[in-house]
Amino acid sequence: MFDFSIITSWVHGMLTSVMPLGLAVFIECVMVGVCLLLMYAVIAVVMIFMERKVCAAFQCRLGPVRVGFWGLLQVPADVLKMLTKEIITIRRSDKFLYNLAPYIVILASVLAFACLPVSKGLEVLDFNVGVFFLMAASSIGVVGILLAGWSSNNKYSLIGAMRSGAQMISYELSIGLSILTIIVLTDTMQFSEIVARQADGWFLFKGHIPALVAFVIYLIAGNAEVNRGPFDLPEAESELTAGYHTEYSGMHFGLFYVAEFVNLFIVAGVAATIFLGGWMPLHVAGWEGFNAVMDCIPGFVWFFGKAFFVVWLLMWIKWTFPRLRIDQILTLEWKYLVPIGLANLLLMVIVVVFKLHF
């Protein structure tokens, strides 16, 4: 497996050889930021196109086909249209908070996105409390959503924001319990270490029943965390027009739209990292030839393949089940997922203490 830290070390050595250390670090930070934002934008475009095609497949239709080959230019055309649309400011809104809210949401999304280990040695933020930082950074988005609903001076936006805030804060607990179950198994909160300890088998397979239960709870809670069907009540078109971003237009609406899709990828990327081995290839004990072939596939291909597989699962859920009521959403979390998650965490502790895992 190729280690990208060789390239990053070479770039750092080259820069420090021709300029002061402080300036070299500044240039490196700018380069990393530009690459991160480019990847963020590209993944957003891919996710939007994938959503439309998957939705079309489930509804027995074709989806975008007219703009470009197989509709590939439809999303770039929509992005261009969004960039040129006028940003309309509501007359009686809190203009400062109204304009600030989309950037808080996108900031939380970018910070969480930066935590994903794409390949060996290819991590932007990788430290010993990486999981804790990811949970903290992703929670900032709730603030942006609440500010958007309140500052718009619109009853539909406010109701959508309150629903979204209650839902996201509630389901963060189940996500935390699922991730904590794997932390108990690995004894680390560093993403690169979690991936490294799956070299001999992914946790979904070698973590016994608690890992499988945690994975299912994570998928359900992750879907609710990013306000996607059947948990998309905060944006219920039949009741709240567009929910918390009803009054937004132009690129401000585009920021909410992009953040929602990239947040879906972040949920899938974390699932791929902690349950499916991240950038680790698939190995089968005793199949040395098969394992050697799997090792030839680059780590980032494994990561993105697993992440987009989980994205497809979450889209499958969205376009299969009908929308839930708000009382059903909160009942599912507090009466079922939280107790099951706590019991599952205790079961994982027993598995680790008595060394019952593979």
Side-chain angles (χ1 to χ4, degrees):
M1 188 66 66
F2 181 76
D3 189 350
F4 280 88
S5 61
I6 298 173
I7 297 177
T8 56
S9 299
W10 174 77
V11 172
H12 179 73
M14 182 184 66
L15 291 176
T16 52
S17 65
V18 297
M19 61 184 67
L21 178 61
L23 181 59
V25 171
F26 173 75
I27 292 176
E28 289 170 7
C29 291
V30 171
M31 292 169 60
V32 169
V34 169
C35 292
L36 186 66
L37 291 177
L38 282 175
M39 190 164 66
Y40 187 95
V42 169
I43 287 178
V45 170
V46 172
M47 290 287 295
I48 294 171
F49 182 77
M50 181 178 176
E51 172 79 280
R52 292 174 175 178
K53 285 296 184 180
V54 171
C55 167
F58 274 96
Q59 296 176 355
C60 298
R61 55 189 179 85
L62 297 177
V65 293
R66 295 183 180 274
V67 185
F69 174 73
W70 205 50
L72 289 173
L73 296 180
Q74 180 68 58
V75 178
D78 290 340
V79 171
L80 182 62
K81 178 187 71 172
M82 196 71 69
L83 288 171
T84 56
K85 276 186 173 292
E86 180 185 1
I87 297 177
I88 300 172
T89 303
I90 309 304
R91 182 165 48 191
R92 295 184 179 178
S93 64
D94 186 319
K95 292 181 174 54
F96 175 74
L97 296 181
Y98 175 84
N99 293 318
L100 178 65
Y103 297 98
I104 293 179
V105 171
I106 210 79
L107 173 66
S109 181
V110 171
L111 284 175
F113 184 72
C115 295
L116 298 178
V118 175
S119 187
K120 187 175 183 180
L122 197 60
E123 308 99 358
V124 178
L125 296 172
D126 182 40
F127 41 95
N128 58 353
V129 289
V131 174
F132 181 78
F133 178 83
L134 173 71
M135 297 292 294
S138 61
S139 300
I140 300 174
V142 182
V143 178
I145 289 173
L146 292 175
L147 287 180
W150 182 83
S151 65
S152 296
N153 193 29
N154 179 303
K155 61 183 179 182
Y156 299 115
S157 298
L158 182 59
I159 294 171
M162 296 302 291
R163 284 181 176 179
S164 182
Q167 180 175 311
M168 293 175 72
I169 292 171
S170 298
Y171 278 87
E172 277 178 1
L173 187 56
S174 286
I175 288 178
L177 288 173
S178 300
I179 296 177
L180 191 59
T181 303
I182 300 301
I183 291 174
V184 169
L185 180 61
T186 59
D187 194 29
T188 181
M189 286 196 292
Q190 187 169 355
F191 279 115
S192 59
E193 281 296 316
I194 292 175
V195 173
R197 296 185 188 188
Q198 299 180 74
D200 57 343
W202 304 345
F203 286 144
L204 183 62
F205 304 127
K206 73 173 187 176
H208 278 299
I209 295 176
L212 180 60
V213 174
F215 181 65
V216 173
I217 292 176
Y218 181 86
L219 289 183
I220 297 172
N223 230 9
E225 179 72 11
V226 293
N227 294 331
R228 290 181 56 82
F231 303 96
D232 57 344
L233 200 63
E235 303 171 17
E237 298 87 355
S238 56
E239 304 172 25
L240 304 175
T241 58
Y244 55 86
H245 51 66
T246 297
E247 299 291 359
Y248 284 89
S249 60
M251 199 55 214
H252 280 173
F253 168 76
L255 292 177
F256 282 112
Y257 192 64
V258 165
E260 178 181 329
F261 279 99
V262 179
N263 285 340
L264 175 63
F265 180 82
I266 292 168
V267 167
V270 173
T273 300
I274 66 176
F275 292 104
L276 301 176
W279 41 263
M280 281 292 177
L282 175 64
H283 284 171
V284 179
W287 293 17
E288 300 304 329
F290 174 81
N291 296 341
V293 173
M294 294 296 102
D295 287 338
C296 295
I297 302 175
F300 62 88
V301 174
W302 279 108
F303 173 79
F304 283 113
K306 295 171 187 177
F308 278 109
F309 170 73
V310 177
V311 166
W312 179 77
L313 282 180
L314 296 177
M315 288 182 178
W316 186 0
I317 293 171
K318 173 182 172 66
W319 296 107
T320 301
F321 295 100
R323 181 181 294 143
L324 300 175
R325 299 195 312 265
I326 187 65
D327 61 316
Q328 294 172 327
I329 290 173
L330 297 180
T331 297
L332 174 64
E333 166 66 2
W334 292 105
K335 285 189 177 180
Y336 297 97
L337 293 187
V338 169
I340 293 173
L342 288 170
N344 190 57
L345 178 60
L346 178 60
L347 182 59
M348 179 59 84
V349 171
I350 294 172
V351 167
V352 171
V353 169
F354 292 99
K355 302 186 187 308
L356 300 177
H357 52 84
F358 295 110

